[in-house]
């Protein structure tokens, strides 16, 4: 059986560590998009709410609805609202990020028809990453539209594309300069000053001078910060474990799994585990690219990873059927496991499939 353990006391440790870096005057937004990076969004959001997070963020309206339907009451920013599901946004008091005039016009038209007033929204600026967002040269037009709009502007933000790069780094500086111009243009524009925010987790560790009014942290809350040195002060929240289904002795010359991907040069022993690429263990982990932790040893994944199963070499490891195997989290860092598969911690965590049972614990 496969289990993803979610350690709330580690979440709490990371939360307080991030708070200690940003100081008491800066707000903390907990990012719980994509099922809280593959964990379990409702449980994680509920715990963050309990310990005092200021804001939460999700990617889509449906993710926000799921939280609202489970008693999450803190303000929720929706990073990437699309032109659909507007009903959901308003019905569940979700706060959309507006990134273009087309979305703006669409929302105005919709809220006008529904006679909705004073709904909280956020404005997103592109400062160099060239993803979603308004451009700086649209500020004048934006201000005109704002002056007779029905929205309540809660925050204005941008996103760094290189926040983990060690300083000085000219592209961070360029983005920051642009964002400071945005701040300057809007600071005195509203009766109630909106929050300004720029940085994510690696920004907090790398450039704590750029916190502005709030930081948006996802991966850091889950125990990783894109740099092994920064990771040291954090604790891994998610641990993926499995149990050996079967142990098999193989003879010299025999092949393992699909496509003759692995051949035993000597007699050996393999263990078969009940998870595969459908559960988020990439095929790039196979063929000895990656290892799993078992009874104090690391066993290589051999052959091609299948959809539902994978094989490990346990020729030299003392183990038996039903023994526990850890993929990552407690004994092996998720960043390292991800790196061995050619991906990043974010991708490994958010790939953890829906078939894997989530189990919330207070300690490991
Ligand atoms: C996902 C996301 C974050 C969180 O980033 P981390 O590196 O996980 O802290 C912050 N801001 C935006 C706009 C995001 O999409």
């Amino acid at each position: 059986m496969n289990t993803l353990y979610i350690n709330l006391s580690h979440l709490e440790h990371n939360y307080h560590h991030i708070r200690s870096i940003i100081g008491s005057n800066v707000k903390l937004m907990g990012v719980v998009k994509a099922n809280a990076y593959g964990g379990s969004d409702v449980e994680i959001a509920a715990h963050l709410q309990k310990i005092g997070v200021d804001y939460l963020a999700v990617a889509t309206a449906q993710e926000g609805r799921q939280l609202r339907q489970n008693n999450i009451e803190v303000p929720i920013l929706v990073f990437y609202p699309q032109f659909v599901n507007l009903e959901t946004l308003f019905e569940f008091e979700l706060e959309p990020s507006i990134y273009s005039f087309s979305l703006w016009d669409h929302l105005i038209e919709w809220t006008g028809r529904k006679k909705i007033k004073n709904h909280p929204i956020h404005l997103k600026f592109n400062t160099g990453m060239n993803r979603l967002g308004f451009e700086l040269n649209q500020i004048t037009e934006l201000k005109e539209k704002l002056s007779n709009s029905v929205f309540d502007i809660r925050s204005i933000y941008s996103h760094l594309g290189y926040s983990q790069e060690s300083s000085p780094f000219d592209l961070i500086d360029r983005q920051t300069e642009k964002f400071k111009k945005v701040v300057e243009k809007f600071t005195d524009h509203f009766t109630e000053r909106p929050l300004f925010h720029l940085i994510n987790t690696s920004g907090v560790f790398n450039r704590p001078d750029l916190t502005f009014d709030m930081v948006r942290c996802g991966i850091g809350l889950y125990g990783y910060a894109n740099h092994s040195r920064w990771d040291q002060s954090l604790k891994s929240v998610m641990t993926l474990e499995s149990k050996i289904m079967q142990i098999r002795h193989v003879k010299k010359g025999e092949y393992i799994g699909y496509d003759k991907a692995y051949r035993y040069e000597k007699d050996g022993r393999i263990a078969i585990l009940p998870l595969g690429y459908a559960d988020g263990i990439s095929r790039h982990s196979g063929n000895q690219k990656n290892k799993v932790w078992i009874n104090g040893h690391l066993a290589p994944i051999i052959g091609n990873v299948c959809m539902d199963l994978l094989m490990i070499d346990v020729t030299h490891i003392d183990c038996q059927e039903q023994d526990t195997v850890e993929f990552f989290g407690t004994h092996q860092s998720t960043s390292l496991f991800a790196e061995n598969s050619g991906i990043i911690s974010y991708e490994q965590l958010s790939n953890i499939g829906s078939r894997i049972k989530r189990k919330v614990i207070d300690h490991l």
Side-chain angles (χ1 to χ4, degrees), residues 31 33 37 79-80 131 159 200-201 216-219 346:
V31 181
K33 62 195 182 188
Y37 289 43
F79 280 142
Y80 308 117
R131 220 166 56 172
H159 191 49
N200 63 344
T201 298
R216 307 181 301 268
C217 288
I219 200 77
Y346 300 69

Side-chain angles (χ1 to χ4, degrees), residues 283-300:
R283 282 183 96 245
H284 299 292
S285 309
N287 298 313
Q288 298 120 283
K289 292 281 187 326
N290 226 331
K291 298 184 172 86
V292 298
W293 187 93
I294 171 164
N295 296 342
H297 301 275
L298 286 169

Side-chain angles (χ1 to χ4, degrees), residues 18 29-33 37 57-59 77 79-80 97 124 129 131 157-160 163 197-204 215-222 224-226 346:
I18 291 166
M29 172 183 275
V31 181
V32 293
K33 62 195 182 188
Y37 289 43
V58 293
L77 165 60
F79 280 142
Y80 308 117
S97 162
K124 169 85 178 278
M129 189 181 179
R131 220 166 56 172
Y157 74 107
S158 186
H159 191 49
L160 294 176
S163 58
H197 46 112
L198 178 66
I199 57 176
N200 63 344
T201 298
S202 7
V204 168
V215 299
R216 307 181 301 268
C217 288
I219 200 77
L221 289 171
Y222 309 118
Y224 297 93
N226 303 321
Y346 300 69

Side-chain angles (χ1 to χ4, degrees), residues 22 26 196-199 207-215:
I22 63 177
V26 175
F196 293 96
H197 46 112
L198 178 66
I199 57 176
R207 294 295 304 269
D209 56 315
L210 300 180
T211 51
F212 295 89
D213 301 317
M214 180 157 73
V215 299

Side-chain angles (χ1 to χ4, degrees), residues 84-363:
V84 291
N85 301 318
L86 295 188
E87 191 98 42
T88 309
L89 284 176
F90 293 96
E91 186 183 341
F92 292 97
E93 287 176 59
L94 304 169
E95 306 180 9
S97 162
I98 312 297
Y99 47 81
S100 72
F101 283 129
S102 7
L103 181 60
W104 174 277
D105 293 341
H106 190 61
L107 272 184
I108 288 284
E109 199 265 326
W110 201 87
T111 47
R113 238 185 315 124
K114 302 271 173 182
K115 307 212 182 332
I116 293 169
K117 285 212 169 61
N118 305 324
H119 192 83
I121 65 162
H122 302 253
L123 299 176
K124 169 85 178 278
F125 277 88
N126 171 37
T127 52
M129 189 181 179
N130 290 318
R131 220 166 56 172
L132 293 174
F134 287 104
E135 297 301 314
L136 271 69
N137 64 17
Q138 293 177 309
I139 290 180
T140 314
E141 192 181 344
L142 196 51
K143 278 182 168 175
E144 277 166 26
K145 286 189 187 258
L146 284 169
S147 64
N148 46 24
S149 92
V150 298
F151 296 129
D152 183 2
I153 311 297
R154 289 290 162 84
S155 91
I156 298 181
Y157 74 107
S158 186
H159 191 49
L160 294 176
Y162 332 88
S163 58
Q164 77 281 12
E165 300 288 343
S166 53
S167 309
F169 193 75
D170 61 338
L171 290 173
I172 295 183
D173 296 338
R174 242 186 276 173
Q175 281 198 265
T176 305
E177 283 320 303
K178 278 193 162 184
F179 188 63
K180 283 183 175 161
K181 283 200 185 114
V182 175
V183 175
E184 199 179 292
K185 297 236 158 120
F186 281 105
T187 290
D188 300 320
H189 188 75
F190 304 96
T191 31
E192 215 158 307
R193 186 179 175 275
L195 299 168
F196 293 96
H197 46 112
L198 178 66
I199 57 176
N200 63 344
T201 298
S202 7
V204 168
F205 285 84
N206 197 17
R207 294 295 304 269
D209 56 315
L210 300 180
T211 51
F212 295 89
D213 301 317
M214 180 157 73
V215 299
R216 307 181 301 268
C217 288
I219 200 77
L221 289 171
Y222 309 118
Y224 297 93
N226 303 321
H227 200 302
S228 53
R229 187 161 42 87
W230 300 332
D231 288 359
Q232 276 167 22
S233 53
L234 298 169
K235 295 184 179 181
S236 175
V237 170
M238 272 110 60
T239 296
L240 178 59
E241 283 187 5
S242 185
K243 286 198 192 305
I244 295 175
M245 293 176 87
Q246 190 175 22
I247 288 187
R248 169 180 305 285
H249 293 272
V250 286
K251 294 244 173 319
K252 178 180 175 202
E254 287 187 333
Y255 295 102
I256 306 300
Y258 285 121
D259 303 324
K260 302 205 291 190
Y262 187 83
R263 183 166 184 265
Y264 266 89
E265 299 299 337
K266 290 185 188 156
D267 290 359
R269 204 162 76 110
I270 63 168
I272 295 111
L273 305 178
L275 74 179
Y277 56 79
D279 303 294
I281 303 301
S282 159
R283 282 183 96 245
H284 299 292
S285 309
N287 298 313
Q288 298 120 283
K289 292 281 187 326
N290 226 331
K291 298 184 172 86
V292 298
W293 187 93
I294 171 164
N295 296 342
H297 301 275
L298 286 169
I301 300 174
I302 53 170
N304 286 318
V305 172
C306 315
M307 187 185 285
D308 317 297
L309 300 168
L310 57 80
M311 284 71 86
I312 58 176
D313 179 24
V314 292
T315 305
H316 305 292
I317 297 175
D318 184 15
C319 61
Q320 44 187 314
E321 291 176 359
Q322 292 305 312
D323 276 0
T324 297
V325 175
E326 179 193 304
F327 280 76
F328 49 78
T330 302
H331 299 93
Q332 174 163 238
S333 136
T334 308
S335 290
L336 180 66
F337 188 87
E339 193 183 315
N340 290 340
S341 301
I343 57 176
I344 57 174
S345 56
Y346 300 69
E347 187 176 351
Q348 182 57 63
L349 290 172
S350 60
N351 275 347
I352 299 169
S354 55
R355 297 197 297 202
I356 292 177
K357 192 181 84 176
R358 271 68 174 165
K359 187 156 190 252
V360 172
I361 49 168
D362 282 326
H363 56 84

Side-chain angles (χ1 to χ4, degrees), residues 65-78:
R65 177 179 59 198
Q66 151 104 342
L67 299 182
R68 285 282 185 253
Q69 288 175 332
N70 287 279
N71 305 319
I72 304 299
E73 287 161 6
V74 284
I76 300 177
L77 165 60
V78 178

